[in-house]
Amino acid sequence: MAKPRMSSIDGKLAQEFAVPAHVEEIKEKMAAFAGHHAAAGRRVVLITSGGTKVPLESRTVRFLDNFSSGRRGASSAEYFMDSGYAVIFLHRHRSLYPYTRMFSNINMLDALKFSGGASSNSGEVVVNQQVLPDIARALRRYQEVKEGKLLLPIEFSTLSEYLHLLKAAAQALSAIGSKAMFYLAAAVSDFYIPASEMPEHKIQSSNGPLQLSMNMVPKILSPLVKDWAPRAFVISFKLETDPTILLDKARRALDAYRHQAVVANVLDSRRGYVVVVTPETQAELIISDEDVKNDVEIEERIVSNLTSAHNKFITQQGG
């Protein structure tokens, strides 16, 4: 078998971004997971979720971050598994997680009590289901997922970790061809400071106002599509604050990287309206007020749209 072509970004990753410990071990684990499920006739989706941290010092005290909580990635993972996919969940450390995401704003101690009542300090601890509505349903589904080994969680924190783990995941899933999907929902920084230019110690405020010069992060979508997993079905996300430029930027991304779809959304309306853009189509997905009352989420519509598109893609690729 021919070795994958080495791109210029491969060299840049090796030179400027520290390789996480055990990345090869994680890559083997992902490859085994994908191979097992593909052999069972199941498709595999790699979901990236949460934001990337960009250190400003080698011994990091300060860093640049973004607001992403990982909500879209975590909820999408649930809907993909409901649709028959196995999920590799490449997520930011402490970002939202499938099945626990809906309880993230609840103080867990308020949801627990002793079976003997408030005055008891012994006996079994039980769940107050009034505080944690739907906990039984979430627990039941999570246990089904665990028993089926449908979810493989992989954590990242920094931009460097994310880039190397995404490359490893792409190479691991390359072997299953068109049965692999990449759902790149993570909020990835556009800028970074190379390790060679980063101060070792904490930047001192006594030195006066801080001026930073940051490099552009390599566009990793290009080698992923062309070199690392060329037969996979790849979806990127485009978030803007200016709706007038959104669709044009989505189209330009498809032209530049030749992947299969862009999920385009505007910051203020992202939970109720997105546009799935492909080279041939443009589908508006909307959550109405009635949908909200019935607990319908936009991610359910996104996943439904993309699984249908993946079906067609696999047929076109010959299975």
Side-chain angles (χ1 to χ4, degrees):
M1 182 182 293
K3 290 184 177 180
R5 185 167 64 89
M6 184 81 166
S7 71
S8 60
I9 291 179
D10 285 285
K12 198 174 187 70
L13 283 178
Q15 291 174 4
E16 298 191 10
F17 297 92
V19 181
H22 312 306
V23 68
E24 286 302 317
E25 181 182 330
I26 295 171
K27 180 178 174 180
E28 290 175 9
K29 187 182 296 186
M30 291 189 287
F33 179 87
H36 168 77
H37 286 292
R42 195 173 288 115
R43 296 165 194 174
V44 180
V45 57
L46 181 285
I47 297 176
T48 68
S49 185
T52 57
K53 182 169 72 174
V54 179
L56 300 184
E57 305 117 342
S58 295
R59 300 173 68 175
T60 307
V61 173
R62 300 184 180 91
F63 53 87
L64 297 181
D65 209 340
N66 62 55
F67 73 94
S68 176
S69 67
R71 179 184 181 277
R72 177 147 291 166
S75 56
S76 297
E78 295 175 19
Y79 293 119
F80 272 115
M81 286 184 284
D82 288 346
S83 300
Y85 283 71
V87 172
I88 299 176
F89 189 57
L90 181 58
H91 65 289
R92 169 72 176 270
H93 177 61
R94 293 183 179 176
S95 62
L96 295 184
Y97 197 81
Y99 307 109
T100 63
R101 64 184 176 92
M102 60 195 72
F103 311 118
S104 62
N105 294 324
I106 296 172
N107 182 340
M108 295 302 291
L109 294 180
D110 289 336
L112 304 175
K113 59 185 178 181
F114 290 108
S115 57
S119 61
S120 173
N121 59 3
S122 63
E124 293 185 359
V125 174
V126 296
V127 176
N128 182 345
Q129 296 195 40
Q130 291 181 331
V131 179
L132 288 181
D134 292 330
I135 185 63
R137 181 181 59 83
L139 177 60
R140 187 176 299 111
R141 182 60 181 137
Y142 179 67
Q143 289 180 338
E144 291 170 352
V145 162
K146 282 191 70 175
E147 289 169 5
K149 298 181 180 178
L150 298 177
L151 179 64
L152 177 63
I154 306 291
E155 286 191 349
F156 69 86
S157 182
T158 65
L159 171 67
S160 177
E161 290 171 328
Y162 172 83
L163 295 175
H164 281 289
L165 289 170
L166 178 57
K167 177 183 175 181
Q171 293 174 332
L173 268 65
S174 180
I176 67 170
S178 62
K179 287 185 177 179
M181 178 194 287
F182 289 81
Y183 185 86
L184 305 177
V188 183
S189 174
D190 291 316
F191 309 99
Y192 76 105
I193 299 175
S196 59
E197 299 176 18
M198 203 181 296
E200 179 182 0
H201 296 289
K202 177 187 173 185
I203 299 170
Q204 297 298 312
S205 60
S206 58
N207 293 335
L210 179 63
Q211 294 185 340
L212 294 175
S213 177
M214 306 185 78
N215 290 6
M216 294 292 296
V217 171
K219 298 299 184 183
I220 204 167
L221 188 56
S222 179
L224 189 156
V225 172
K226 295 177 183 176
D227 305 318
W228 300 338
R231 294 178 58 211
F233 186 83
V234 180
I235 303 111
S236 67
F237 282 70
K238 181 66 67 177
L239 175 73
E240 295 292 342
T241 57
D242 181 355
T244 65
I245 66 172
L246 180 65
L247 294 181
D248 179 61
K249 293 198 73 172
R251 290 277 173 206
R252 285 162 54 191
L254 288 172
D255 290 342
Y257 303 115
R258 303 294 177 182
H259 57 307
Q260 283 67 48
V262 176
V263 178
N265 51 159
V266 176
L267 178 64
D268 294 338
S269 59
R270 69 192 185 281
R271 294 188 177 179
Y273 174 80
V274 304
V275 184
V276 179
V277 184
T278 75
E280 300 83 22
T281 64
Q282 184 171 303
E284 293 185 326
L285 307 181
I286 300 171
I287 293 296
S288 67
D289 291 340
E290 190 64 26
D291 289 328
V292 173
K293 292 178 185 176
N294 293 322
D295 295 324
V296 177
E297 297 179 297
I298 192 72
E299 288 77 19
E300 184 175 3
R301 301 264 164 88
I302 295 171
V303 169
S304 177
N305 178 284
L306 293 173
T307 53
S308 296
H310 194 199
N311 289 340
K312 294 176 184 177
F313 177 79
I314 290 172
T315 300
Q316 291 167 356
Q317 297 292 312

Tab-separated table of all heavy atoms in Angstrom, residues 234-269:
chain	number	residue	atom	x	y	z
A	234	VAL	N	-17.120	14.751	4.469
A	234	VAL	CA	-16.581	15.779	5.372
A	234	VAL	C	-17.504	16.988	5.431
A	234	VAL	O	-17.871	17.563	4.395
A	234	VAL	CB	-15.169	16.219	4.930
A	234	VAL	CG1	-14.618	17.283	5.874
A	234	VAL	CG2	-14.226	15.010	4.878
A	235	ILE	N	-17.858	17.379	6.657
A	235	ILE	CA	-18.692	18.560	6.897
A	235	ILE	C	-17.914	19.555	7.744
A	235	ILE	O	-17.405	19.204	8.809
A	235	ILE	CB	-19.989	18.195	7.653
A	235	ILE	CG1	-20.784	17.145	6.891
A	235	ILE	CG2	-20.841	19.427	7.921
A	235	ILE	CD1	-20.807	15.821	7.597
A	236	SER	N	-17.828	20.785	7.301
A	236	SER	CA	-17.259	21.846	8.123
A	236	SER	C	-18.376	22.783	8.576
A	236	SER	O	-19.504	22.713	8.084
A	236	SER	CB	-16.186	22.631	7.355
A	236	SER	OG	-16.766	23.357	6.283
A	237	PHE	N	-18.051	23.655	9.532
A	237	PHE	CA	-19.010	24.624	10.055
A	237	PHE	C	-18.485	26.031	9.815
A	237	PHE	O	-17.273	26.279	9.919
A	237	PHE	CB	-19.243	24.399	11.548
A	237	PHE	CG	-20.159	23.249	11.849
A	237	PHE	CD1	-19.751	21.943	11.632
A	237	PHE	CD2	-21.438	23.465	12.320
A	237	PHE	CE1	-20.601	20.876	11.882
A	237	PHE	CE2	-22.294	22.404	12.577
A	237	PHE	CZ	-21.871	21.110	12.365
A	238	LYS	N	-19.397	26.921	9.502
A	238	LYS	CA	-19.035	28.324	9.295
A	238	LYS	C	-19.946	29.183	10.167
A	238	LYS	O	-21.163	29.225	9.977
A	238	LYS	CB	-19.195	28.695	7.823
A	238	LYS	CG	-18.830	30.124	7.485
A	238	LYS	CD	-17.346	30.392	7.693
A	238	LYS	CE	-16.481	29.638	6.721
A	238	LYS	NZ	-15.032	29.979	6.921
A	239	LEU	N	-19.346	29.862	11.136
A	239	LEU	CA	-20.086	30.774	12.015
A	239	LEU	C	-19.643	32.201	11.737
A	239	LEU	O	-18.449	32.489	11.711
A	239	LEU	CB	-19.819	30.428	13.483
A	239	LEU	CG	-20.427	31.377	14.518
A	239	LEU	CD1	-21.938	31.197	14.598
A	239	LEU	CD2	-19.797	31.163	15.885
A	240	GLU	N	-20.594	33.078	11.514
A	240	GLU	CA	-20.299	34.492	11.306
A	240	GLU	C	-21.242	35.336	12.161
A	240	GLU	O	-22.282	34.861	12.631
A	240	GLU	CB	-20.462	34.876	9.825
A	240	GLU	CG	-19.487	34.200	8.877
A	240	GLU	CD	-18.047	34.646	9.056
A	240	GLU	OE1	-17.838	35.719	9.668
A	240	GLU	OE2	-17.134	33.936	8.590
A	241	THR	N	-20.869	36.575	12.369
A	241	THR	CA	-21.767	37.526	13.022
A	241	THR	C	-22.478	38.414	12.004
A	241	THR	O	-23.478	39.046	12.327
A	241	THR	CB	-20.973	38.414	14.005
A	241	THR	OG1	-19.915	39.077	13.301
A	241	THR	CG2	-20.388	37.577	15.134
A	242	ASP	N	-21.977	38.453	10.772
A	242	ASP	CA	-22.562	39.255	9.704
A	242	ASP	C	-23.268	38.321	8.721
A	242	ASP	O	-22.617	37.605	7.958
A	242	ASP	CB	-21.461	40.033	8.982
A	242	ASP	CG	-22.004	40.917	7.864
A	242	ASP	OD1	-23.214	40.861	7.572
A	242	ASP	OD2	-21.196	41.664	7.268
A	243	PRO	N	-24.601	38.290	8.722
A	243	PRO	CA	-25.313	37.352	7.850
A	243	PRO	C	-25.126	37.622	6.366
A	243	PRO	O	-25.328	36.729	5.545
A	243	PRO	CB	-26.787	37.525	8.264
A	243	PRO	CG	-26.861	38.873	8.899
A	243	PRO	CD	-25.530	39.105	9.546
A	244	THR	N	-24.721	38.827	6.003
A	244	THR	CA	-24.600	39.164	4.586
A	244	THR	C	-23.411	38.486	3.909
A	244	THR	O	-23.363	38.399	2.686
A	244	THR	CB	-24.483	40.685	4.385
A	244	THR	OG1	-23.255	41.153	4.982
A	244	THR	CG2	-25.657	41.414	5.016
A	245	ILE	N	-22.451	38.017	4.691
A	245	ILE	CA	-21.273	37.381	4.099
A	245	ILE	C	-21.269	35.868	4.290
A	245	ILE	O	-20.397	35.170	3.758
A	245	ILE	CB	-19.962	37.973	4.674
A	245	ILE	CG1	-19.826	37.632	6.180
A	245	ILE	CG2	-19.899	39.469	4.438
A	245	ILE	CD1	-18.475	38.026	6.767
A	246	LEU	N	-22.243	35.337	5.036
A	246	LEU	CA	-22.192	33.944	5.474
A	246	LEU	C	-22.209	32.950	4.320
A	246	LEU	O	-21.331	32.081	4.218
A	246	LEU	CB	-23.366	33.663	6.425
A	246	LEU	CG	-23.448	32.236	6.963
A	246	LEU	CD1	-22.252	31.918	7.842
A	246	LEU	CD2	-24.748	32.048	7.739
A	247	LEU	N	-23.204	33.037	3.455
A	247	LEU	CA	-23.344	32.039	2.398
A	247	LEU	C	-22.226	32.136	1.379
A	247	LEU	O	-21.761	31.113	0.850
A	247	LEU	CB	-24.715	32.174	1.727
A	247	LEU	CG	-25.905	31.850	2.630
A	247	LEU	CD1	-27.215	31.981	1.870
A	247	LEU	CD2	-25.780	30.453	3.214
A	248	ASP	N	-21.767	33.340	1.108
A	248	ASP	CA	-20.638	33.497	0.194
A	248	ASP	C	-19.390	32.812	0.752
A	248	ASP	O	-18.666	32.127	0.023
A	248	ASP	CB	-20.360	34.982	-0.054
A	248	ASP	CG	-19.177	35.193	-0.980
A	248	ASP	OD1	-19.239	34.730	-2.139
A	248	ASP	OD2	-18.171	35.808	-0.547
A	249	LYS	N	-19.156	32.967	2.041
A	249	LYS	CA	-17.992	32.329	2.657
A	249	LYS	C	-18.148	30.810	2.676
A	249	LYS	O	-17.158	30.079	2.507
A	249	LYS	CB	-17.763	32.870	4.066
A	249	LYS	CG	-17.350	34.339	4.099
A	249	LYS	CD	-16.721	34.746	5.407
A	249	LYS	CE	-15.323	34.191	5.553
A	249	LYS	NZ	-14.631	34.731	6.750
A	250	ALA	N	-19.358	30.314	2.872
A	250	ALA	CA	-19.585	28.868	2.829
A	250	ALA	C	-19.289	28.322	1.435
A	250	ALA	O	-18.628	27.279	1.289
A	250	ALA	CB	-21.024	28.554	3.232
A	251	ARG	N	-19.760	29.013	0.411
A	251	ARG	CA	-19.503	28.587	-0.961
A	251	ARG	C	-18.010	28.620	-1.287
A	251	ARG	O	-17.479	27.719	-1.947
A	251	ARG	CB	-20.258	29.484	-1.937
A	251	ARG	CG	-21.750	29.312	-1.911
A	251	ARG	CD	-22.165	28.142	-2.754
A	251	ARG	NE	-23.592	27.848	-2.609
A	251	ARG	CZ	-24.110	26.663	-2.808
A	251	ARG	NH1	-23.325	25.640	-3.093
A	251	ARG	NH2	-25.395	26.458	-2.680
A	252	ARG	N	-17.343	29.651	-0.817
A	252	ARG	CA	-15.902	29.758	-1.074
A	252	ARG	C	-15.139	28.636	-0.387
A	252	ARG	O	-14.150	28.118	-0.921
A	252	ARG	CB	-15.401	31.127	-0.625
A	252	ARG	CG	-15.790	32.250	-1.588
A	252	ARG	CD	-15.689	33.619	-0.980
A	252	ARG	NE	-14.379	33.906	-0.410
A	252	ARG	CZ	-14.122	34.966	0.355
A	252	ARG	NH1	-15.099	35.815	0.638
A	252	ARG	NH2	-12.919	35.182	0.814
A	253	ALA	N	-15.591	28.234	0.806
A	253	ALA	CA	-14.941	27.122	1.496
A	253	ALA	C	-15.107	25.823	0.709
A	253	ALA	O	-14.154	25.042	0.560
A	253	ALA	CB	-15.525	26.963	2.899
A	254	LEU	N	-16.304	25.570	0.188
A	254	LEU	CA	-16.525	24.371	-0.622
A	254	LEU	C	-15.658	24.373	-1.870
A	254	LEU	O	-15.096	23.338	-2.265
A	254	LEU	CB	-17.998	24.270	-1.020
A	254	LEU	CG	-18.986	23.895	0.088
A	254	LEU	CD1	-20.418	24.027	-0.418
A	254	LEU	CD2	-18.744	22.475	0.588
A	255	ASP	N	-15.538	25.527	-2.503
A	255	ASP	CA	-14.691	25.639	-3.702
A	255	ASP	C	-13.221	25.405	-3.368
A	255	ASP	O	-12.489	24.775	-4.132
A	255	ASP	CB	-14.857	27.022	-4.336
A	255	ASP	CG	-16.227	27.221	-4.974
A	255	ASP	OD1	-16.911	26.204	-5.235
A	255	ASP	OD2	-16.618	28.380	-5.205
A	256	ALA	N	-12.793	25.919	-2.214
A	256	ALA	CA	-11.376	25.839	-1.860
A	256	ALA	C	-10.965	24.440	-1.420
A	256	ALA	O	-9.872	23.969	-1.779
A	256	ALA	CB	-11.062	26.847	-0.755
A	257	TYR	N	-11.815	23.767	-0.636
A	257	TYR	CA	-11.396	22.516	0.002
A	257	TYR	C	-12.020	21.270	-0.610
A	257	TYR	O	-11.569	20.160	-0.334
A	257	TYR	CB	-11.699	22.574	1.503
A	257	TYR	CG	-11.040	23.748	2.171
A	257	TYR	CD1	-11.789	24.781	2.731
A	257	TYR	CD2	-9.652	23.856	2.213
A	257	TYR	CE1	-11.176	25.871	3.321
A	257	TYR	CE2	-9.029	24.946	2.804
A	257	TYR	CZ	-9.804	25.946	3.351
A	257	TYR	OH	-9.188	27.030	3.928
A	258	ARG	N	-13.049	21.454	-1.442
A	258	ARG	CA	-13.668	20.340	-2.163
A	258	ARG	C	-14.222	19.254	-1.234
A	258	ARG	O	-14.151	18.071	-1.536
A	258	ARG	CB	-12.650	19.718	-3.140
A	258	ARG	CG	-12.078	20.696	-4.144
A	258	ARG	CD	-13.156	21.190	-5.095
A	258	ARG	NE	-12.626	22.189	-6.034
A	258	ARG	CZ	-13.371	22.806	-6.953
A	258	ARG	NH1	-14.676	22.542	-7.025
A	258	ARG	NH2	-12.837	23.694	-7.762
A	259	HIS	N	-14.767	19.689	-0.093
A	259	HIS	CA	-15.422	18.716	0.775
A	259	HIS	C	-16.919	18.709	0.458
A	259	HIS	O	-17.343	19.293	-0.541
A	259	HIS	CB	-15.127	18.995	2.243
A	259	HIS	CG	-15.500	20.359	2.736
A	259	HIS	ND1	-15.085	21.529	2.131
A	259	HIS	CD2	-16.258	20.759	3.794
A	259	HIS	CE1	-15.563	22.570	2.780
A	259	HIS	NE2	-16.290	22.126	3.793
A	260	GLN	N	-17.702	18.028	1.277
A	260	GLN	CA	-19.076	17.725	0.862
A	260	GLN	C	-20.134	18.715	1.347
A	260	GLN	O	-21.153	18.886	0.688
A	260	GLN	CB	-19.461	16.314	1.342
A	260	GLN	CG	-18.871	15.200	0.505
A	260	GLN	CD	-17.361	15.089	0.610
A	260	GLN	OE1	-16.816	15.099	1.709
A	260	GLN	NE2	-16.692	14.998	-0.528
A	261	ALA	N	-19.928	19.349	2.503
A	261	ALA	CA	-20.975	20.236	3.019
A	261	ALA	C	-20.409	21.228	4.020
A	261	ALA	O	-19.411	20.953	4.695
A	261	ALA	CB	-22.086	19.427	3.679
A	262	VAL	N	-21.080	22.379	4.101
A	262	VAL	CA	-20.802	23.387	5.127
A	262	VAL	C	-22.110	23.679	5.843
A	262	VAL	O	-23.135	23.935	5.207
A	262	VAL	CB	-20.245	24.696	4.521
A	262	VAL	CG1	-20.064	25.746	5.616
A	262	VAL	CG2	-18.924	24.455	3.810
A	263	VAL	N	-22.080	23.613	7.174
A	263	VAL	CA	-23.224	24.048	7.975
A	263	VAL	C	-22.968	25.501	8.351
A	263	VAL	O	-22.064	25.806	9.136
A	263	VAL	CB	-23.401	23.181	9.235
A	263	VAL	CG1	-24.569	23.699	10.077
A	263	VAL	CG2	-23.640	21.719	8.850
A	264	ALA	N	-23.746	26.403	7.755
A	264	ALA	CA	-23.535	27.841	7.921
A	264	ALA	C	-24.544	28.395	8.918
A	264	ALA	O	-25.741	28.112	8.818
A	264	ALA	CB	-23.679	28.546	6.569
A	265	ASN	N	-24.046	29.182	9.878
A	265	ASN	CA	-24.960	29.766	10.860
A	265	ASN	C	-24.435	31.112	11.349
A	265	ASN	O	-23.245	31.393	11.307
A	265	ASN	CB	-25.230	28.824	12.025
A	265	ASN	CG	-23.997	28.243	12.700
A	265	ASN	OD1	-24.077	27.803	13.827
A	265	ASN	ND2	-22.842	28.239	12.054
A	266	VAL	N	-25.391	31.926	11.803
A	266	VAL	CA	-25.087	33.251	12.340
A	266	VAL	C	-25.139	33.166	13.858
A	266	VAL	O	-25.988	32.463	14.428
A	266	VAL	CB	-26.099	34.292	11.817
A	266	VAL	CG1	-25.846	35.662	12.444
A	266	VAL	CG2	-26.013	34.385	10.297
A	267	LEU	N	-24.239	33.857	14.521
A	267	LEU	CA	-24.086	33.745	15.972
A	267	LEU	C	-25.410	33.890	16.714
A	267	LEU	O	-25.769	33.048	17.544
A	267	LEU	CB	-23.085	34.802	16.465
A	267	LEU	CG	-22.846	34.862	17.974
A	267	LEU	CD1	-22.224	33.561	18.472
A	267	LEU	CD2	-21.967	36.055	18.328
A	268	ASP	N	-26.166	34.936	16.424
A	268	ASP	CA	-27.362	35.243	17.210
A	268	ASP	C	-28.509	34.264	16.987
A	268	ASP	O	-29.389	34.129	17.846
A	268	ASP	CB	-27.845	36.668	16.911
A	268	ASP	CG	-26.853	37.728	17.382
A	268	ASP	OD1	-26.040	37.413	18.271
A	268	ASP	OD2	-26.891	38.857	16.860
A	269	SER	N	-28.530	33.569	15.846
A	269	SER	CA	-29.665	32.696	15.524
A	269	SER	C	-29.253	31.236	15.364
A	269	SER	O	-30.038	30.424	14.869
A	269	SER	CB	-30.329	33.172	14.222
A	269	SER	OG	-29.407	33.152	13.147
